[in-house]
Amino acid sequence: MSSDHIDEVSGISTTGHEWDGIRELNNPLPRWWVWTFYITIVWAIGYTIAYPAWPLLHTATKGVLGYSSRNDVGNELSKAEAAKGKYVAAIEAKSVSEIAADDTLREFAVAAGGAAFKLNCVQCHGSGAQGSKGFPNLNDDDWLWGGKAEQIQQTITHGIRFASDPDTRLSEMPAFADIITADQIQQVSAYAASLSGAVSDQALVASGARVFAENCVACHGDNAKGNKELGAPDLTDAIWLYGSGEAAIAAQVTAPKHGVMPAWGARLGEIKVKELAVYIHSLGGGE
């Protein structure tokens, strides 16, 4: 409520309100602002009538226009599924090598496979597929079971040492502590380490080579370059799954670790496995 009091400084009447000797000037809002404010109120009421707005016990008001953002999202997803349908059908019909040779299909498969990798594989192989101790690096060209696209597909489909899949990749290195002596283990570990680096005692290498020839060539080969049919690693490179150096090699020879990879075929389906195989092969380490 206004009063007859006039502020001496501004010459504007006051409202009659006073707090601790401070009076409130009677400065009404501009008419255009007041009408804009009223219009927004009317618009808001109209909006809540036209569109879903007011929450109810188990649902919400539907709005007279029947609009639904959920339906919009569903329609967009349906359009996206329809658009990629021809690519999915082509991937289903072709082999992974044929997919990799087709620029358009390869691009689609790499994108889809990359998404599947982030969802299912990063827990072991890392976000960049770089792996870690006991989990292979998928960016290099060292593949225990072969790095061709079809071989990668086979590994993803059936896993490694996955007991519930009868077609799983299966091989196990014996625990040589039960077969050869501790001295022989030290010798053969020195020989294996010498194939890709320096060793602490060069004198052990010659005797280690004899131990290797008598016990290891059946899987790793005369040249120690491994055997992809058996999943036996190449010992002449500097890539070691469970650690490099004589001590780590001796530990593996004594009581080997045997990693397990799940069989993803039944869980992901043939199409998604193909996409994963093409994506992994595209990382640069595939043969």
Side-chain angles (χ1 to χ4, degrees):
M1 181 178 69
S2 64
S3 70
D4 294 334
H5 181 270
I6 304 297
D7 178 60
E8 295 179 359
V9 176
S10 63
I12 298 174
S13 63
T14 61
T15 62
H17 301 154
E18 181 179 345
W19 297 271
D20 296 331
I22 300 173
R23 296 178 182 272
E24 180 184 11
L25 296 178
N26 185 18
N27 275 328
L29 291 168
R31 279 295 177 190
W32 66 266
W33 196 99
V34 174
W35 282 110
T36 301
F37 181 67
Y38 291 154
I39 290 170
T40 60
I41 294 174
V42 173
W43 181 87
I45 294 172
Y47 185 94
T48 62
I49 294 172
Y51 293 94
W54 296 100
L56 303 175
L57 187 59
H58 298 294
T59 180
T61 56
K62 304 298 183 183
V64 296
L65 297 182
Y67 171 79
S68 171
S69 58
R70 290 179 182 271
N71 289 341
D72 279 359
V73 172
N75 292 335
E76 291 296 325
L77 290 175
S78 297
K79 290 178 183 178
E81 289 295 327
K84 71 179 186 181
K86 63 179 181 179
Y87 299 111
V88 173
I91 287 174
E92 184 177 20
K94 294 179 181 291
S95 68
V96 286
S97 293
E98 291 172 327
I99 295 167
D102 185 309
D103 290 342
T104 303
L105 278 183
R106 183 178 66 252
E107 182 178 354
F108 179 87
V110 166
F117 186 89
K118 289 179 175 62
L119 184 62
N120 300 284
C121 311
V122 298
Q123 295 86 347
C124 294
H125 294 285
S127 59
Q130 75 279 6
S132 60
K133 187 176 180 179
F135 301 100
N137 182 352
L138 305 180
N139 296 293
D140 61 36
D141 57 359
D142 187 73
W143 293 83
L144 292 178
W145 300 93
K148 293 182 172 61
E150 286 82 2
Q151 293 169 322
I152 296 173
Q153 179 187 7
Q154 175 75 7
T155 301
I156 296 172
T157 301
H158 299 291
I160 298 172
R161 304 182 191 92
F162 193 66
S164 60
D165 191 311
D167 296 317
T168 192
R169 304 275 200 190
L170 185 61
S171 71
E172 292 190 359
M173 177 177 173
F176 278 93
D178 300 329
I179 302 173
I180 59 179
T181 66
D183 287 342
Q184 289 176 313
I185 290 176
Q186 184 181 9
Q187 292 162 5
V188 77
S189 299
Y191 169 72
S194 74
L195 296 174
S196 59
V199 295
S200 58
D201 188 352
Q202 191 66 32
L204 297 174
V205 174
S207 54
R210 290 191 292 272
V211 176
F212 185 89
E214 293 169 359
N215 297 276
C216 312
V217 296
C219 294
H220 293 284
D222 292 327
N223 56 7
K225 286 191 174 296
N227 185 339
K228 288 182 172 58
E229 293 296 322
L230 302 175
D234 181 355
L235 303 180
T236 64
D237 59 25
I239 300 172
W240 295 87
L241 188 58
Y242 292 105
S244 60
E246 295 167 74
I249 296 172
Q252 184 68 4
V253 173
T254 301
K257 299 174 182 177
H258 300 122
V260 175
M261 174 181 169
W264 292 97
R267 178 174 177 177
L268 299 181
E270 181 184 6
I271 294 173
K272 193 58 64 179
V273 166
K274 285 182 178 180
E275 292 170 346
L276 268 171
V278 173
Y279 167 74
I280 293 170
H281 188 266
S282 75
L283 293 175
E287 298 172 359

